[in-house]
């Protein structure tokens, strides 16, 4: 039925403006790349929106734009980030992610082969997570008016009855748990960007965390105050945000923060503070003291939480400072950055 | 509590990379521009996702990216498009739009004043429509890596029980209704882009159509087969898409298509076929014959459907052609465009 006049040459072809024009070429691009990679009946139905059935209750919605540079990096590409990152923002509410949307803004001249690779990665990530991409949009802008491809995904999910995690819920005495070693995503992207090779491969930690968060909710939902994924700005920004929103301080212990030695070495080499470096498959949980061990144990039983650790606790502090006891025995304030350390890390 | 070191200079300042870095400057931009303009408690809660309660039933989700150039045009700007367009994609399912998300990708050096103006327009459009923007994201890319600002919005809505509009639902004999005069959005953007002045002002038709669609569903939901908004690719692309998805043909009557004479004149001057020109506040409905007059009457009773007209009907046609009887008495095939006539119209 679909008699396209020109075959889509995925191996050698380039995206041109007609692929974003709403006509035949756009239909061909969507069929040949996105429908194929995402592979579900919602998209094939070809509506401008997709329908699904939900039970009565609380839902969450989130969105993120992805502009990572380079588009491909050790351990993933912009497509896996766009799926994992938005699933994680849903999961941080303790919710079960249900569906994703994806909006592509593509620069004219972008290789169709790269677009297909990104779409395939998104399809795989989405299938692996069990969260289908059910609706999307494609725009093309002239050469020099974008940088390869930008992706914005949105996600919706359902919140288990009775659960209400909030960024202002941390209380003095609460434990702070990190789900695993920090800094790997940021260092992987930076090493690719700077063309560095380290002796040990450092790959992005990009991963969908909703399985881990479901296990945490099941183990001790009542004790769980809030969860956040420390992406842009890293652990330092996340803890400072929570501190400001909850009107508490934090005391953390540098020695307690899980970090691979090669990441520590790379950060030293690159002049980065690992606390500011983005993670894409890690979470920070603030937990009432009585539930901390139970939730920690549940995390360690999950493949994405094996290295989970309690790194400190919340304290009463009207200045909302994040203070760290360093490995050398001293203390320092962990501030969030005013400026820009790692542009386009996600 | 929020002791920013530097005041956000909305009048004279420019967006820089720190505004997308996840730290203090980003918080300041979000507070000073987006929270202020969108003005709701979901955003002020400062979570990475927002929660809401829904009844059990069918929902829809949609997304669109907006890359219109120029960003400001007669009758609107990229912000009003980003709100109206996504609301309309929800409304075309006959659904009640509930919430929006917004993802901004901003070029370094973009004036804060322009960003504030766009955000204010979005806030107004969202309040007027009663559909709040409850979650968002901001990224900044280096100068020359984007074009001012791109916005991707996603939307969710609830479908009234029993309603199931589908793009493959058109049947021979169905009436085709257009909600108003066509071509105004595309001509308004093109005239601004080409620095043209026409004797009569042509402004974009950008509008949120969910009030109109609700009236249509109420008047004759059972007779309503499907609705589409003829944006990119215009009426021609929309009718061809429906024809292909429903495996029918269409016969339309050129004289029956509402169009302002100044739009017809401008199209002739610009060398555009008005059937290919984008609309942002119009819809096409395919309606079972017995309900056509009832739905048409309901549309004409709504301010956004005053000029609604039946422009033709679906016919059995294995080639799925859209055929038009022209004003001169002849006939022609209305094809969708293979190439690119109007890049970045939305």
């Amino acid at each position: 039925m679909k008699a396209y006049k020109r075959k889509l040459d995925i191996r050698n072809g380039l995206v041109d403006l007609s692929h974003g024009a709403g006509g035949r070429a756009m239909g061909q691009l969507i069929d040949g790349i996105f429908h194929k990679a995402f592979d579900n009946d919602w998209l094939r139905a070809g509506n401008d929106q997709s329908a699904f059935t939900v039970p009565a209750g609380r839902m969450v919605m989130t969105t993120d734009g992805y502009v990572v540079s380079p588009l491909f990096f050790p351990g993933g590409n912009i497509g896996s980030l766009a799926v994992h990152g938005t699933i994680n923002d849903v999961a941080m509410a303790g919710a079960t992610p249900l569906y994703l949307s994806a909006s592509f803004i593509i620069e004219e001249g972008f290789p169709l082969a790269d677009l297909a690779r990104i779409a395939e990665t998104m399809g795989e990530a989405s299938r692996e997570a069990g969260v289908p991409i059910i609706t999307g949009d494609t725009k093309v802008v002239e050469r020099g008016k974008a940088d390869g491809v930008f992706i914005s995904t949105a996600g919706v999910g359902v919140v288990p009855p009775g659960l209400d995690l909030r960024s202002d819920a941390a209380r003095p005495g609460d434990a702070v748990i990190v789900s695993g070693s920090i800094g790997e995503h940021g260092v992987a992207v930076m090493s690719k960007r700077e063309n560095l090779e380290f002796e040990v491969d450092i790959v992005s930690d990009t991963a969908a965390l909703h399985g881990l968060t479901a296990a945490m909710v099941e183990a001790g939902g009542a004790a769980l105050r809030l969860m956040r994924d420390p992406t842009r700005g890293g652990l330092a920004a996340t803890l400072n945000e929570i501190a400001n929103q909850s009107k508490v301080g934090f005391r953390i212990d540098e020695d307690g923060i899980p970090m691979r030695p090669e990441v520590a070495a790379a950060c030293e080499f690159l002049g980065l503070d690992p606390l500011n470096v983005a993670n894409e498959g890690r979470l920070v949980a603030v937990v009432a003291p009585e539930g901390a061990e139970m939730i920690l144990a549940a995390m360690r039983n999950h493949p994405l939480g094996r290295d989970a650790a309690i790194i400190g606790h919340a304290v009463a502090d009207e200045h909302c400072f994040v203070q760290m006891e360093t490995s050398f025995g001293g203390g320092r304030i962990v501030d969030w950055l005013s400026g820009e350390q790692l542009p386009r890390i996600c």
Side-chain angles (χ1 to χ4, degrees), chain A:
Chain A
M1 284 306 293
K2 286 178 172 164
Y4 296 122
K5 284 174 183 164
R6 182 181 62 160
K7 205 170 167 293
L8 195 69
D9 179 2
I10 293 184
R11 186 181 293 216
N12 303 302
L14 303 177
V15 172
D16 61 45
L17 288 171
S18 74
H19 289 121
R24 211 185 284 274
M26 190 173 89
Q28 195 176 14
L29 182 81
I30 291 173
D31 265 4
I33 291 189
F34 296 122
H35 286 188
K36 203 172 148 198
F38 301 164
D39 189 30
N40 63 58
D41 288 338
W42 284 282
L43 289 175
R44 276 187 293 263
N47 294 305
D48 283 342
Q49 73 295 113
S50 282
F52 50 88
T53 303
V54 291
R58 281 179 82 232
M59 292 187 72
V60 291
M61 181 177 193
T62 189
T63 191
D64 260 341
Y66 299 86
V67 299
V68 66
S69 172
L71 294 168
F72 298 89
F73 50 80
N77 63 48
I78 190 172
S80 40
L81 282 191
V83 169
H84 294 154
T86 294
I87 286 177
N88 290 348
D89 278 346
V90 171
M92 292 309 118
T96 306
L98 294 179
Y99 303 103
L100 297 175
S101 67
S103 157
F104 294 83
I105 296 173
I106 310 169
E107 185 186 9
E108 180 188 14
F110 190 65
L112 287 171
D114 287 351
L115 189 62
R117 221 173 117 200
I118 290 165
E120 282 155 20
T121 304
M122 292 181 78
E124 284 159 21
S126 131
R127 276 187 296 278
E128 198 179 316
V131 186
I133 301 164
I134 61 171
T135 188
D137 184 56
T138 306
K139 293 288 191 303
V140 180
V141 298
E142 306 88 333
R143 211 178 275 265
K145 300 294 187 187
D147 192 14
V149 60
F150 301 139
I151 305 174
S152 291
T153 43
V156 293
V158 288
V159 185
L163 195 71
D164 187 11
L165 308 185
R166 310 173 65 97
S167 56
D168 60 0
R171 296 288 169 268
D174 287 351
V176 179
I177 308 179
V178 166
S179 67
S181 52
I182 66 163
E184 283 149 48
H185 174 71
V187 168
V189 172
M190 286 303 283
S191 63
K192 174 83 182 175
R193 198 185 292 171
E194 307 290 334
N195 257 318
L196 299 175
E197 288 197 19
F198 299 110
E199 274 180 40
V200 184
D201 278 350
I202 298 172
V203 301
S204 168
D205 52 284
T206 179
L209 294 171
H210 57 311
L212 176 63
T213 55
M216 295 166 67
V217 168
E218 202 188 318
L224 203 54
R225 307 277 203 209
L226 65 95
M227 298 185 282
R228 284 294 261 272
D229 53 339
T231 56
R232 269 183 298 180
L235 194 57
T238 297
L239 289 176
N240 273 287
E241 271 177 47
I242 300 171
N244 274 288
Q245 289 173 328
S246 294
K247 319 278 185 239
V248 297
F250 285 111
R251 299 246 166 141
I252 60 173
D253 174 10
E254 186 167 22
D255 286 334
I257 300 174
M259 192 177 349
R260 290 175 56 191
E262 55 269 30
V263 168
C267 281
E268 204 170 318
F269 179 83
L270 290 162
L272 301 174
D273 181 341
L275 295 182
N276 297 129
V277 174
N279 312 277
E280 292 290 339
R282 302 289 181 248
L283 66 83
V284 178
V286 179
V287 178
E290 67 276 11
E293 287 301 330
M294 205 158 55
I295 287 176
L296 183 66
M299 293 173 78
R300 288 185 169 161
N301 267 333
H302 190 279
L304 292 171
R306 271 194 313 263
D307 300 326
I310 296 178
I311 63 164
H313 57 279
V315 296
D317 178 356
E318 64 178 15
H319 299 105
C320 307
F321 284 150
V322 179
Q323 301 190 57
M324 182 166 77
E325 188 173 333
T326 64
S327 304
F328 306 107
R332 72 166 173 102
I333 300 282
V334 177
D335 203 2
W336 51 8
L337 293 177
S338 285
E340 174 54 276
Q341 186 192 37
L342 295 172
R344 300 183 62 188
I345 206 71
C346 59

